[in-house]
Amino acid sequence: MPTEPPEPAVAPPTEAGESAPAAPSRRTFIATTTAVGGVVAGGLIAGTDLAGPGEASAAEASPASRVCLTVNGTRRTVTVDNRTSLLDLLREHFGLTGSKKGCNAGACGACTVLVGGHRVNSCLTLAVRLEGAEVTTIEGLADGDQLHPLQKAFIEQDAFQCGYCTPGQILSGVGCIQEGHTGSPEEIREWMSGNICRCGCYVKIVRAVEQTAGRK
């Protein structure tokens, strides 16, 4: 038996002269929500968060301390951020760029300096903890134009190639000699194992340390 097709859904009646609003399409919905979300996210990225200006300035201020230390025989006094490493203090504040920033994680030894005659990785040492300390960098190792014996030995043994690690190698070698760890090539290699030479000049570096220690 034939049936009549169902009547289409009729929009609710509206006032005279008005048409029913069309339902938003998927494209319109996405565009609208993206625009609104972009405005909110943009405001947060720009810094218009809920924190007041006083709270924001307090968060930006970092604690600082005054530290006095002797670097290469010269007394220095400086006020630095408490998070400043000895390496950054030497390079950025004092202009002593001989100490190199390699890994900045204490793994390569390029930043080695002497503090009180002992070897330290300056990238891992907080400057504010060195009140009254005596620091020696590669710039202070020579006596005027007279090179340190280990500096001479590095030149004579050709114990470097690119030279980036050389300041740290030399300071570590000086510390190794002062500590008395030069009884054999194996002992020197062991006690200088924290200093990496990516050019592979280890054999000549050991020879330079041996020569300076008087074993060769």
Side-chain angles (χ1 to χ4, degrees):
M1 182 175 72
T3 58
E4 296 181 0
E7 296 183 2
V10 180
T14 59
E15 296 182 5
E18 293 184 359
S19 59
S25 66
R26 180 173 178 272
R27 177 175 298 179
T28 305
F29 175 78
I30 293 175
T32 303
T33 54
T34 301
V36 174
V39 171
V40 175
L44 292 175
I45 293 173
T48 56
D49 52 19
L50 301 179
E55 296 176 358
S57 59
E60 292 174 1
S62 300
S65 298
R66 181 172 174 268
V67 59
C68 298
L69 67 166
T70 301
V71 181
N72 298 330
T74 302
R75 190 70 172 170
R76 304 262 195 166
T77 302
V78 64
T79 300
V80 293
D81 186 309
N82 287 350
R83 299 165 295 182
T84 303
S85 68
L86 173 58
L87 177 60
D88 286 337
L89 177 68
L90 294 172
R91 292 179 59 84
E92 307 299 333
H93 292 264
F94 298 158
L96 300 172
T97 56
S99 303
K100 303 304 182 186
K101 181 176 285 191
C103 65
N104 206 34
C108 72
C111 67
T112 303
V113 298
L114 300 179
V115 176
H118 299 284
R119 297 176 283 175
V120 301
N121 290 323
S122 59
C123 71
L124 297 183
T125 305
L126 288 175
V128 294
R129 301 192 65 180
L130 298 179
E131 178 68 28
E134 293 189 5
V135 180
T136 302
T137 71
I138 192 67
E139 290 90 345
L141 198 58
D143 183 11
D145 295 333
Q146 185 67 29
L147 294 178
H148 185 278
L150 186 55
Q151 289 176 306
K152 292 181 179 179
F154 262 68
I155 295 173
E156 293 169 1
Q157 295 291 342
D158 195 21
F160 53 88
Q161 189 167 323
C162 78
Y164 193 84
C165 74
T166 304
Q169 296 280 1
I170 291 176
L171 267 298
S172 185
V174 170
C176 187
I177 294 169
Q178 292 177 350
E179 295 161 11
H181 299 304
T182 57
S184 65
E186 292 75 21
E187 184 178 12
I188 294 171
R189 284 194 291 268
E190 174 66 24
W191 286 90
M192 290 190 61
S193 59
N195 291 79
I196 295 174
C197 175
R198 290 175 174 85
C199 300
C201 296
Y202 296 112
V203 173
K204 295 179 179 180
I205 290 172
V206 171
R207 289 175 182 169
V209 175
E210 282 187 294
Q211 175 178 319
T212 307
R215 291 192 65 257
K216 189 181 176 80

